[in-house]
Amino acid sequence: MKILTCTTPGTFDYGETEKPELKPGHAIIKIKRIGICGTDLHAFKGTQPFFSYPRILGHELSGELVEVDDAPGFSIGEAVTFIPYFNCGHCVACRTGKPNCCAHIQVCGVHADGGMVEYLQVPSYSLVHGEGLTYDELALVEPLAIGAHGIRRAGINPGDFVLVIGAGPIGLGTIEFARIAGGNVIAMDVSNERLQFCRENLGITHTVNPMDGNAVEKIREITGGDMASVVVDATGNLRAINGGIDYLAHGGRYVLIGLQKEAFSFSHPEFHKRESTLMSSRNATRQDFEHVIASMKKGLVNPATYITHRVPFDAVKNEFESWLDPATGVIKAMVELE
């Protein structure tokens, strides 16, 4: 089968290897769609934590189940996706219902080789039924689940002002699920095009570009002086993370979904006087995947709006670098395999 490997930062190479042979307790998926995410882009640039080279990228995946062992209820030939965070099952996080932050986690396409292949073997416990969704939709469940998990962590109450900083693919999913949770959502980004997308496609009334003036005052005006009960960083940008506390209401929650390599910092008095809650949000759980799928089936989320670029598998090497350039207008690039 054909594979595509990120051999070093900035370099992809096609190759061939044997199709995997089914192991006990595993399943083999014929890959149909590969969504390109920020993790892949950062890995290509060499700025992704928890990463080593060479690595086969790809974890936003869908395909046809072609072989399976020990997966009751699953059938050969059905459309599936899977939870790409392979957990150990026995560490403190796994024992307490948090396999998404397993102490020994192996994330497909990050710690272990991923889905830029024709056939991928995954643990049977990770399989997720397609529920009648298309391959495109199923490949978007994972990135949307990242935002859904962060919003569930935030514990949004109906009517809370929720500021989502960063309107990239993960931020857009976060915005969607903050809205579904009943939040009054404010989208912040330095790209007016991304903010326009939020207004036109997600129905977001309040958008702020921090480059256009005093963002703190704009948030204060929108919230009637209260500031945001929940601030979510979906940028992974150090400056944005350090500045997020300035938008937080007293008694508010600050959730970090975005990830970067450096130490972050903000004023202890500003954090303390608010009695702020700071939390990270890593990956997602089966509960989040099921919430995303149910929301898609109810029409609460239209994943088709996210896909701006499509390429066949054979064209990824030549096209990938262009997706790093904001001028291309890429929100979600989707790789297609037959």
Side-chain angles (χ1 to χ4, degrees):
M1 67 174 181
K2 184 176 286 188
I3 63 174
L4 179 60
T5 304
C6 186
T7 53
T8 60
T11 304
F12 273 121
D13 283 317
Y14 286 103
E16 290 191 353
T17 190
E18 293 298 317
K19 177 185 171 184
E21 294 185 6
L22 184 66
K23 299 188 295 187
H26 284 70
I28 296 177
I29 301 170
K30 183 179 182 181
I31 299 299
K32 296 290 190 178
R33 297 289 187 275
I34 307 165
I36 303 302
C37 77
T39 297
D40 302 321
L41 298 173
H42 289 307
F44 184 78
K45 290 192 295 185
T47 58
Q48 173 63 28
F50 315 130
F51 204 85
S52 61
Y53 303 85
R55 179 67 67 216
I56 299 174
L57 306 182
H59 62 268
E60 298 180 2
L61 304 164
S62 66
E64 177 188 350
L65 188 61
V66 294
E67 295 186 57
V68 65
D69 176 69
D70 192 23
F74 285 88
S75 302
I76 299 300
E78 73 171 284
V80 296
T81 185
F82 68 98
I83 302 171
Y85 330 118
F86 306 143
N87 62 292
C88 73
H90 55 75
C91 73
V92 61
C94 291
R95 295 196 312 269
T96 54
K98 295 186 176 183
N100 57 298
C101 60
C102 168
H104 309 290
I105 202 164
Q106 293 286 295
V107 177
C108 180
V110 179
H111 308 97
D113 282 340
M116 289 192 178
V117 298
E118 292 181 283
Y119 294 89
L120 181 68
Q121 183 155 220
V122 302
S124 294
Y125 68 74
S126 69
L127 290 173
V128 177
H129 287 290
E131 299 285 351
L133 299 180
T134 66
Y135 287 127
D136 280 352
E137 291 169 331
L138 287 172
L140 288 167
V141 171
E142 191 275 341
L144 290 170
I146 297 289
H149 183 72
I151 292 303
R152 184 158 63 89
R153 292 271 288 152
I156 291 173
N157 300 307
D160 278 349
F161 278 101
V162 182
L163 171 63
V164 179
I165 306 173
I170 297 299
L172 293 174
T174 304
I175 288 167
E176 294 260 53
F177 284 93
R179 173 183 53 78
I180 290 169
N184 289 322
V185 183
I186 308 166
M188 179 180 288
D189 201 280
V190 297
S191 166
N192 286 324
E193 290 76 16
R194 289 284 175 91
L195 296 178
Q196 183 178 352
F197 182 93
C198 291
R199 291 190 294 269
E200 293 181 353
N201 294 283
L202 306 186
I204 301 304
T205 303
H206 304 298
T207 60
V208 175
N209 186 329
M211 306 301 290
D212 291 344
N214 191 322
V216 172
E217 289 305 315
K218 290 179 180 178
I219 300 300
R220 182 173 286 116
E221 180 181 351
I222 291 168
T223 62
D226 288 342
M227 307 303 286
S229 298
V230 174
V231 175
V232 183
D233 177 81
T235 68
N237 175 276
L238 182 59
R239 182 176 180 182
I241 291 169
N242 288 343
I245 188 72
D246 296 336
Y247 310 120
L248 189 65
H250 284 242
R253 288 91 71 198
Y254 188 14
V255 184
L256 303 182
I257 295 180
L259 179 64
Q260 49 82 46
K261 285 186 171 182
E262 305 301 325
F264 62 85
S265 65
F266 35 74
S267 164
H268 190 171
E270 290 299 320
F271 181 78
H272 192 90
K273 74 181 184 182
R274 291 168 167 81
E275 197 177 60
S276 310
T277 299
L278 174 66
M279 64 185 82
S280 61
S281 179
R282 188 178 188 192
N283 300 324
T285 67
R286 184 169 292 274
Q287 178 180 346
D288 302 309
F289 275 64
E290 291 172 349
H291 180 35
V292 170
I293 290 172
S295 297
M296 286 184 178
K297 292 177 70 175
K298 292 175 184 175
L300 299 175
V301 177
N302 180 9
T305 61
Y306 292 88
I307 301 172
T308 54
H309 294 64
R310 290 182 182 275
V311 297
F313 186 58
D314 290 343
V316 176
K317 179 178 178 178
N318 292 332
E319 294 290 332
F320 194 94
E321 189 169 6
S322 70
W323 299 331
L324 299 171
D325 183 359
T328 62
V330 64
I331 292 177
K332 178 61 63 179
M334 188 66 70
V335 180
E336 300 180 335
L337 293 84
E338 293 302 325

